[in-house]
Amino acid sequence: MKAIINIALKNGVLDPAGKAVEHALGSLGFTGVSDVRIGKQIVLNLATDDKAKAREELTTMCEELLANTVIEDYEIVL
Amino acid sequence: MKVAIVLFPGTNCEQDTKYAFDLLGCDTEIIWHKQDEIKADLVVLPGGFSYGDYLRTAAIAKFSPAMRAVVAHAKNGGYVLGICNGFQMLLELGLLPGAMRRNENLSFVSKYHYLKVISNNNKFLSNLAVGEIVNIPLAHGEGNYYTDEATLKSLYEQDQVLLKYCDKNGNELNPNGSIDAIAGICDKSKKIFGLMPHPERACEKILGTDDGLKMLKGLVW
């Protein structure tokens, strides 16, 4: 089963890279852009057909390694 | 006094760290991260780019066998010092509160910087005075320390904020956006220390400053 995990900085945590991209988009001529945040996406394959089991395992993976829950939120997409 | 310095794939400061503690008369040993037992008085997690900073800086180091030994050493009340990448490891392990973010201006900061001693009520800074200003090199891309308001308040209340970035007169000067210009902290037990600057790179007057040696001396007995 393919799993997608989206990891993003928590709201309120400053994202300097996002700000840099926002300014760059402005330089490109796009005037209505604000609140740019950059996250990451991890894609993996799980050897199970059980969606509930997969979600449980993925949650542990996120909590223990894939996301730093002090400053990041994660979203599991199955 | 036995000092164990843990070497991970991608670590690059272990030799300078050994040099510094050798100068201070310690019995030092560099330990490969696969070793799951550590017998020492002080464990140092040195600077560098462990695991290439893959996923997040210091995110993967915590799964090394040596880290289990470090955590056990800490649980037994042993001293732990995390320098730069080592500080990041202690944050990822949860042995110190908070997290590191990318430097606010996105640049890798590599320069000498003044630091002010905020608290010496701990073994680490016991050789320095409160308010003393030292000059120590910085070299990091992710030194932007963050913690939530409640934890920050608690850090001050429990005297866990140890060092802040400043100018030569002691006025706050923040090179990376770190909250309250915090450069170093410790845990509640005052046995686990973390700082972003590199005291091991300030051990020879001929190279600019030996303030680092003066700082590290506090940890040595």
Side-chain angles (χ1 to χ4, degrees), chain B residues 174-186:
Chain B
N174 197 332
N176 54 30
S178 190
I179 204 168
D180 282 10
I182 290 173
I185 62 171
C186 67

Side-chain angles (χ1 to χ4, degrees), chain A residues 65-77:
Chain A
L65 173 65
L66 301 179
N68 179 339
T69 54
V70 175
I71 48 171
E72 291 173 331
D73 289 325
Y74 58 89
E75 180 201 10
I76 297 166
V77 180

Side-chain angles (χ1 to χ4, degrees), chain A residues 1-2 45-55 57:
Chain A
M1 182 189 305
K2 182 171 163 188
N45 210 43
L46 276 177
T48 178
D49 284 326
D50 183 344
K51 262 203 169 153
K53 181 164 182 263
R55 192 165 283 277
E57 284 182 3

Side-chain angles (χ1 to χ4, degrees), chain A residues 20-31 33:
Chain A
V21 169
E22 195 174 308
H23 290 139
L25 288 171
S27 301
L28 266 178
F30 296 102
T31 51
V33 182

Side-chain angles (χ1 to χ4, degrees), chain B residues 1-8 11 13-14 16-18 20-21 26-31 38 40-47 66-67 70 73 78-87 89-90 124 191 193-195 198-200 216 219-220:
Chain B
M1 177 193 177
K2 263 208 117 244
V3 178
I5 300 157
V6 188
L7 171 63
F8 299 88
T11 294
C13 298
E14 78 284 6
D16 281 347
T17 308
K18 183 181 194 311
F21 283 101
C26 300
D27 172 11
T28 63
E29 192 189 354
I30 293 174
I31 298 206
I38 300 178
D41 299 305
L42 168 68
V43 175
V44 183
L45 300 178
M67 272 312 195
V70 174
H73 168 87
Y79 285 105
V80 181
L81 173 66
I83 301 172
C84 204
N85 194 215
F87 182 11
M89 289 177 200
L90 292 172
F124 179 34
K191 294 264 177 86
F193 310 98
L195 76 163
H198 288 268
E200 80 285 9
L216 293 174
L219 273 170
V220 172

Side-chain angles (χ1 to χ4, degrees), chain A residues 14 16 40 65-66 68 71, chain B residues 55-56 63 92 104 146:
Chain A
L14 175 74
K40 61 174 88 124
L65 173 65
L66 301 179
N68 179 339
I71 48 171
Chain B
L55 186 64
R56 288 181 312 277
F63 296 102
E92 282 281 335
E104 195 171 48
Y146 167 84

